[in-house]
Amino acid sequence: MSKAYKTIAESQVTISELMLPSHSNFNGKIHGGYVLSLLDQIAFACASKHSGVYCVTASVDTVDFLNPIEIGELVTMKASVNFVGRSSMQIGIRVEAENIQTGEKKHCNSSYFTMVAKDSEGKSVMVPGLILKSKDDIRRFAKSIKRYDNKRVRLKEFDETDFVSEEHLHIVETYNVRIEE
């Protein structure tokens, strides 16, 4: 039986990993796809820790790559539940890289994943609510609501817009494309 409410701290997860040459791209920086894989893993761990059940990734809402990660840096990811719905949770993740020789740290990535709690039959299940204890908790929760509202508007607009109408074709023609029929 899971708790009706949990603090954000009860579900937080932190992982650290040394970046190896095998994680790099052709430019010698850590491959974004590798970072995305780590982000998905920590989002799963945080959401599962909060819900007490298996969770799936419903969407990757935002991934902002701010600074490149170098081979040999220690990457630390910190994940928190920022928002809960009935069965969904928005997980915020901060990624920092540390030069282990100098101790210099840099903020490399901020990401938001929507995770959904599932039972053993794959049906969505209710998750514990959040106990907000600080102004930061309240700020993150409120920003998550705003991100959720913006996402709903964006998805509705994409569903309802006829992108090949004359009204929208002139927009396409302002870009470096040629339309052939």
Side-chain angles (χ1 to χ4, degrees):
M1 178 99 183
S2 66
K3 295 165 89 173
Y5 291 89
K6 286 186 175 181
T7 64
I8 290 170
E10 287 179 273
S11 303
Q12 287 177 320
V13 176
T14 300
I15 61 170
S16 294
E17 185 173 330
L18 184 64
M19 295 295 105
L20 304 174
S22 61
H23 303 140
S24 67
N25 60 25
F26 294 111
N27 199 26
K29 309 297 183 196
I30 299 307
H31 190 352
Y34 184 72
V35 175
L36 284 171
S37 174
L38 293 175
L39 290 167
D40 194 43
Q41 289 174 41
I42 195 170
F44 166 81
C46 184
S48 294
K49 189 174 179 184
H50 182 78
S51 66
V53 296
Y54 182 76
C55 294
V56 297
T57 305
S59 67
V60 179
D61 302 320
T62 306
V63 178
D64 293 323
F65 291 100
L66 306 171
N67 287 296
I69 301 171
E70 307 290 335
I71 295 168
E73 289 184 320
L74 182 66
V75 169
T76 300
M77 297 186 174
K78 299 174 184 176
S80 297
V81 178
N82 289 348
F83 172 85
V84 295
R86 194 189 82 69
S87 62
S88 66
M89 297 153 280
Q90 188 181 89
I91 310 300
I93 307 163
R94 180 180 173 91
V95 179
E96 291 182 346
E98 178 182 1
N99 180 314
I100 57 177
Q101 294 164 334
T102 66
E104 183 182 338
K105 292 181 182 179
K106 60 186 174 186
H107 180 200
C108 295
N109 188 301
S110 289
S111 301
Y112 300 95
F113 281 56
T114 299
M115 307 296 289
V116 177
K118 299 288 187 174
D119 65 15
S120 60
E121 296 165 10
K123 292 186 169 72
S124 297
V125 296
M126 193 164 181
V127 300
L130 277 182
I131 299 170
L132 305 177
K133 292 185 131 189
S134 69
K135 288 184 178 181
D136 270 346
D137 293 350
I138 295 166
R139 179 183 53 78
R140 286 184 183 116
F141 189 85
K143 281 187 166 186
S144 293
I145 292 170
K146 185 68 174 164
R147 267 190 294 279
Y148 179 75
D149 289 344
N150 288 342
K151 180 179 170 181
R152 269 200 339 240
V153 168
R154 186 184 77 241
L155 292 173
K156 182 179 179 193
E157 179 182 312
F158 267 70
D159 285 345
E160 294 177 352
T161 301
D162 174 9
F163 288 102
V164 294
S165 68
E166 290 299 319
E167 175 185 353
H168 288 91
L169 283 179
H170 77 281
I171 295 171
V172 171
E173 291 169 350
T174 64
Y175 291 88
N176 188 19
V177 297
R178 183 176 67 213
I179 299 172
E180 295 182 355
E181 295 182 30

